[in-house]
Structure formats: C-alpha cells, structure tokens
Amino acid sequence: MISVLMISRDPLALESGSAVYERIKEYGALFSSLTVFVLVMGKSRSMVPLTVSENTKIYPISISLLNYLLVPFKIEKRLIEAGLSVDVVTTQNPFEAG
C-alpha cells in the first residue's frame, strides 16, 4: 500500500472531534500510513504529535515569518526521527505550504 505525507495549514486538524480531524482519520484508513504535518503560527498549541489511529499521526510544526524557510528541514528531521518513508506528498495549498 501507499505511505502518504500531507502538509496542511488547517489548525482544526489538531482538534480531536473536529470535521478536519475526522476526515484525516478516514483518509488514514485508505493508506498503509498517513503522516500529516500541520503548520502552526507561533507556539500557541501543544507541539506534541497526535496519534489519530494505528497508522495515522499528526505533527504540529511551529512556524513564523522568520523561520518559514526552515520548515522543510523541520519536516525532514521529524520524518527521519520517526523512521518514516513516503511514497506520495500532498499539500493543502502548493503555493503556500508546498
């Protein structure tokens, strides 16, 4: 099956029970693994990864205008630390988050 990396800016993905969270849970059932990175302005939310299901995790990534160019390196570091490999990368807005 396919391993998917999703990059999003939607903070509702981090709220258990929200429509976005539930949609991610449904997407996770379609793939061998689904890893979602949610770009969050500042550190207003907990930066702890969320386990949605056995094969689906959501990682918040803190961003600011100053460190926006470092986001790809933060994502790569998290992927390496978790020992994840991906087959497909998708993003909510390729011009902003891609």
Side-chain angles (χ1 to χ4, degrees), residues 23-44:
R23 186 171 61 243
I24 289 171
K25 184 189 277 187
E26 290 177 20
Y27 290 160
L30 301 173
F31 306 108
S32 61
S33 73
L34 174 62
T35 304
V36 182
F37 286 98
V38 179
L39 308 180
V40 181
M41 288 299 277
K43 290 192 177 185
S44 60

Side-chain angles (χ1 to χ4, degrees), residues 11-12 14-15 40-48 60:
L12 292 176
L14 300 168
E15 295 182 20
V40 181
M41 288 299 277
K43 290 192 177 185
S44 60
R45 299 181 181 276
S46 171
M47 292 293 122
V48 177

Side-chain angles (χ1 to χ4, degrees), residues 1-86:
M1 294 222 358
I2 297 175
S3 296
V4 177
L5 168 64
M6 180 184 294
I7 302 171
S8 174
R9 288 281 315 242
D10 195 338
L12 292 176
L14 300 168
E15 295 182 20
S16 180
S18 71
V20 177
Y21 183 92
E22 294 301 319
R23 186 171 61 243
I24 289 171
K25 184 189 277 187
E26 290 177 20
Y27 290 160
L30 301 173
F31 306 108
S32 61
S33 73
L34 174 62
T35 304
V36 182
F37 286 98
V38 179
L39 308 180
V40 181
M41 288 299 277
K43 290 192 177 185
S44 60
R45 299 181 181 276
S46 171
M47 292 293 122
V48 177
L50 304 173
T51 300
V52 177
S53 66
E54 184 179 318
N55 67 331
T56 306
K57 288 198 177 190
I58 301 175
Y59 295 87
I61 298 285
S62 174
I63 61 169
S64 69
L65 293 177
L66 296 175
N67 75 357
Y68 204 79
L69 295 175
L70 298 176
V71 169
F73 299 106
K74 288 182 175 186
I75 291 173
E76 182 179 13
K77 180 181 177 192
R78 290 272 181 112
L79 288 171
I80 291 169
E81 288 173 349
L84 297 171
S85 64
V86 295

